[in-house]
Amino acid sequence: MKTNQDIVYDLIVIGGGPAGLAAAIAAKQNGLEQVLVLERDSRAGGILLQCIHNGFGLHHFGEELTGPEYAMRFVHQADELGVITRTDTMVLEIHNGCKTKEGIHEVVAINAQDGLMCLRTKTVALAMGCRERTRGALVIPGTRPAGIFTAGSAQRFVNIDGYLPGKKVVILGSGDIGLIMARRLTLEGADVKLVCEIMNYSAGLARNMTQCLENFDIPLKLSTTIIQIHGKERVTGVTIAKVDEHRAVIPGTEEYIPCDTVLLSVGLIPENEVSIAAGVLMDSITSGPSVNQYMETSIPGIFACGNSVHVHDLVDFVTEESLLAGKCAADYVKEKRSGQTDSRASLIPVTPGNRVRYTVPQHIDIESGRDATPQSDNKLRIMFRSTDVYRSVTVAVYSGSRLIAQQKKRIVRPGEMQTIELKEKELDSIRSTPQPLTVSIELPEDSID
């Protein structure tokens, strides 16, 4: 029997959530034999195991599922395909093997059963997901009483452990987890006083605004934040206030809200400590790896997918992106077997233009020898988020100063991922005269002289 050090895996996936499992499944379906998933939790499935509400799977499966149902479909499929999954296993670091003759990467991991392991692999998929921003990342004056939770930790207490974190709740931030917990806590008998959001728009999906707040008469106060948390042993209340366009508190708008619990839903951060240590080029806006259309990072053979690349609004989109990463990892291994080299000779940057916060992919590889449109429908999708809420817009893609694609959209919101597709003919025009691509959101008045 071979030891861990003797086996050379085709693909090691870091993270056993919906992204990691989808990448592993796609790799198996595309011919890879030795596929290993490393998951630090006690079971595979990721954060979906505590998301017991429905609404998952409408895009990917064409039916409405709960989070655990969605996750278990991938867990079972991975098992059926022979994907090896090691739980309770923490990845410590990745050693980049591209500078060696064999081009084999090393993944250093540890668990209680096997101890310290140095695992060798031809490709790696980064699928570590994301974490919540905590109070420590915010500047909220006050003491440090009990009763302050992130929305995700409160979700675990209620849905997994069976504990109610509080009875009178104020939620800071209108991210999707916060909106969903406003409804969940209300159904469990808690009194959710309000949700306050420092921006002038909600950070969550429009459907969650309707289903979680409006349907339960839970107030949402925009351009509002918590400026003081009160209480010594336990939270006794908060002071909220309106803010101006520069997020500065407007004097005279302060209001005291009695409560015993504060939930923070103030953003998610991709988990990428291992990626950074490995030398992967990062995007300062997404806080995730910079990738090309194959979901490949700056290090050949290391791919990334899911919320470790950028925070998604729907797990269906995570799945689509991760299946692509797994397929492209399989293609990479096959190319290496056939003796092809990775030239990476011509990378075209994709940059955010007017009213666009970021784009994924961040660059397009047009001359690597691989299919430039790796999606099954022969289209290259550029994902992006807007900087604000805009209505009746045109999304435009420019190659240099030349317009190559455009699409009209009724409304775009920062909380909802947007996409625009490039077809083979658009990519051919990019190849003929390579220029950086820019994705912009244009308003009707932009065209007025």
Side-chain angles (χ1 to χ4, degrees), residues 236-277:
T236 57
V238 297
T239 298
I240 64 173
K242 302 288 288 185
V243 298
D244 60 21
E245 63 271 19
H246 304 294
R247 303 185 196 177
V249 174
I250 301 174
T253 62
E254 298 86 354
E255 180 183 359
Y256 177 77
I257 308 293
C259 63
D260 60 20
T261 304
V262 176
L263 295 194
L264 304 177
S265 180
V266 290
L268 301 169
I269 306 170
E271 288 271 17
N272 273 298
E273 286 73 17
V274 171
S275 312
I276 294 169

Side-chain angles (χ1 to χ4, degrees), residues 177-250:
I177 305 175
L179 299 180
I180 288 165
M181 283 310 296
R183 175 180 63 184
R184 186 78 180 95
L185 290 170
T186 300
L187 292 172
E188 290 295 328
D191 178 13
V192 178
K193 298 291 187 180
L194 76 150
V195 176
C196 51
E197 168 61 55
I198 195 170
M199 304 301 290
N200 61 358
Y201 55 81
S202 170
L205 292 169
R207 74 182 190 194
N208 285 335
M209 290 286 298
T210 300
Q211 297 173 5
C212 300
L213 296 189
E214 295 173 13
N215 290 353
F216 289 86
D217 295 323
I218 299 172
L220 170 66
K221 295 196 174 185
L222 300 174
S223 300
T224 303
T225 191
I226 295 175
I227 62 171
Q228 183 84 27
I229 296 177
H230 305 277
K232 185 176 181 182
E233 300 299 327
R234 177 82 190 197
V235 172
T236 57
V238 297
T239 298
I240 64 173
K242 302 288 288 185
V243 298
D244 60 21
E245 63 271 19
H246 304 294
R247 303 185 196 177
V249 174
I250 301 174

Side-chain angles (χ1 to χ4, degrees), residues 335-410:
E335 290 164 8
K336 290 296 183 182
R337 286 174 183 167
S338 65
Q340 290 181 246
T341 58
D342 186 1
S343 63
R344 305 170 77 87
S346 185
L347 295 178
I348 302 298
V350 183
T351 58
N354 293 335
R355 306 177 184 92
V356 174
R357 186 163 179 262
Y358 71 80
T359 64
V360 174
Q362 287 86 352
H363 49 270
I364 295 174
D365 188 347
I366 60 172
E367 291 183 2
S368 65
R370 287 178 278 183
D371 183 3
T373 54
Q375 284 94 341
S376 58
D377 55 4
N378 294 322
K379 296 178 182 177
L380 192 155
R381 292 181 185 84
I382 298 176
M383 295 171 281
F384 65 94
R385 285 190 188 271
S386 63
T387 57
D388 207 330
V389 179
Y390 303 106
R391 300 177 187 275
S392 301
V393 302
T394 300
V395 178
V397 181
Y398 292 90
S399 176
S401 59
R402 180 167 52 96
L403 177 67
I404 61 170
Q406 62 180 347
Q407 179 182 355
K408 293 189 179 296
K409 292 182 179 286
R410 186 179 63 84

Side-chain angles (χ1 to χ4, degrees), residues 159-172:
N159 295 344
I160 302 296
D161 301 325
Y163 296 116
L164 189 64
K167 297 181 178 179
K168 297 180 180 180
V169 184
V170 170
I171 299 176
L172 175 62

Side-chain angles (χ1 to χ4, degrees), residues 108-123:
V108 180
I110 190 170
N111 63 29
Q113 181 177 350
D114 303 295
L116 187 66
M117 300 171 285
C118 187
L119 307 170
R120 305 171 69 210
T121 180
K122 299 170 186 175
T123 57

Side-chain angles (χ1 to χ4, degrees), residues 38-334:
L38 302 177
E39 167 57 46
R40 67 183 178 186
D41 208 344
S42 59
R43 58 187 298 198
I47 198 68
L48 290 187
L49 298 179
Q50 69 182 49
C51 301
I52 64 173
H53 54 279
N54 57 10
F56 301 94
L58 291 171
H59 292 268
H60 186 70
F61 291 111
E63 58 182 304
E64 195 170 39
L65 305 171
T66 65
E69 288 173 332
Y70 190 98
M72 284 302 103
R73 291 201 178 186
F74 288 92
V75 170
H76 295 153
Q77 189 176 3
D79 290 342
E80 291 170 358
L81 290 171
V83 173
I84 305 166
T85 302
R86 286 185 183 167
T87 56
D88 292 311
T89 301
M90 175 69 73
V91 172
L92 303 179
E93 57 184 346
I94 301 170
H95 296 156
N96 177 9
C98 290
K99 297 180 181 179
T100 65
K101 183 178 180 180
E102 298 83 4
I104 301 298
H105 303 290
E106 292 183 340
V107 176
V108 180
I110 190 170
N111 63 29
Q113 181 177 350
D114 303 295
L116 187 66
M117 300 171 285
C118 187
L119 307 170
R120 305 171 69 210
T121 180
K122 299 170 186 175
T123 57
V124 176
L126 306 170
M128 295 84 66
C130 58
R131 65 177 182 270
E132 293 181 279
R133 186 173 281 110
T134 64
R135 183 186 178 184
L138 307 175
V139 183
I140 304 177
T143 54
R144 299 176 63 87
I148 303 173
F149 305 91
T150 63
S153 62
Q155 185 181 58
R156 183 177 182 90
F157 285 143
V158 175
N159 295 344
I160 302 296
D161 301 325
Y163 296 116
L164 189 64
K167 297 181 178 179
K168 297 180 180 180
V169 184
V170 170
I171 299 176
L172 175 62
S174 60
D176 287 310
I177 305 175
L179 299 180
I180 288 165
M181 283 310 296
R183 175 180 63 184
R184 186 78 180 95
L185 290 170
T186 300
L187 292 172
E188 290 295 328
D191 178 13
V192 178
K193 298 291 187 180
L194 76 150
V195 176
C196 51
E197 168 61 55
I198 195 170
M199 304 301 290
N200 61 358
Y201 55 81
S202 170
L205 292 169
R207 74 182 190 194
N208 285 335
M209 290 286 298
T210 300
Q211 297 173 5
C212 300
L213 296 189
E214 295 173 13
N215 290 353
F216 289 86
D217 295 323
I218 299 172
L220 170 66
K221 295 196 174 185
L222 300 174
S223 300
T224 303
T225 191
I226 295 175
I227 62 171
Q228 183 84 27
I229 296 177
H230 305 277
K232 185 176 181 182
E233 300 299 327
R234 177 82 190 197
V235 172
T236 57
V238 297
T239 298
I240 64 173
K242 302 288 288 185
V243 298
D244 60 21
E245 63 271 19
H246 304 294
R247 303 185 196 177
V249 174
I250 301 174
T253 62
E254 298 86 354
E255 180 183 359
Y256 177 77
I257 308 293
C259 63
D260 60 20
T261 304
V262 176
L263 295 194
L264 304 177
S265 180
V266 290
L268 301 169
I269 306 170
E271 288 271 17
N272 273 298
E273 286 73 17
V274 171
S275 312
I276 294 169
V280 171
L281 178 66
M282 308 298 288
D283 185 314
S284 61
I285 303 299
T286 63
S287 297
S290 178
V291 297
N292 60 20
Q293 74 267 39
Y294 311 107
M295 302 310 297
E296 189 175 18
T297 70
S298 58
I299 301 177
I302 297 184
F303 298 79
C305 55
N307 285 344
S308 65
V309 178
H310 61 132
V311 177
H312 295 65
D313 45 4
L314 296 176
V315 71
D316 304 73
F317 297 158
V318 168
T319 297
E320 179 182 343
E321 182 181 279
S322 303
L323 291 171
L324 174 62
K327 174 186 178 297
C328 292
D331 292 342
Y332 180 92
V333 172
K334 294 173 187 175

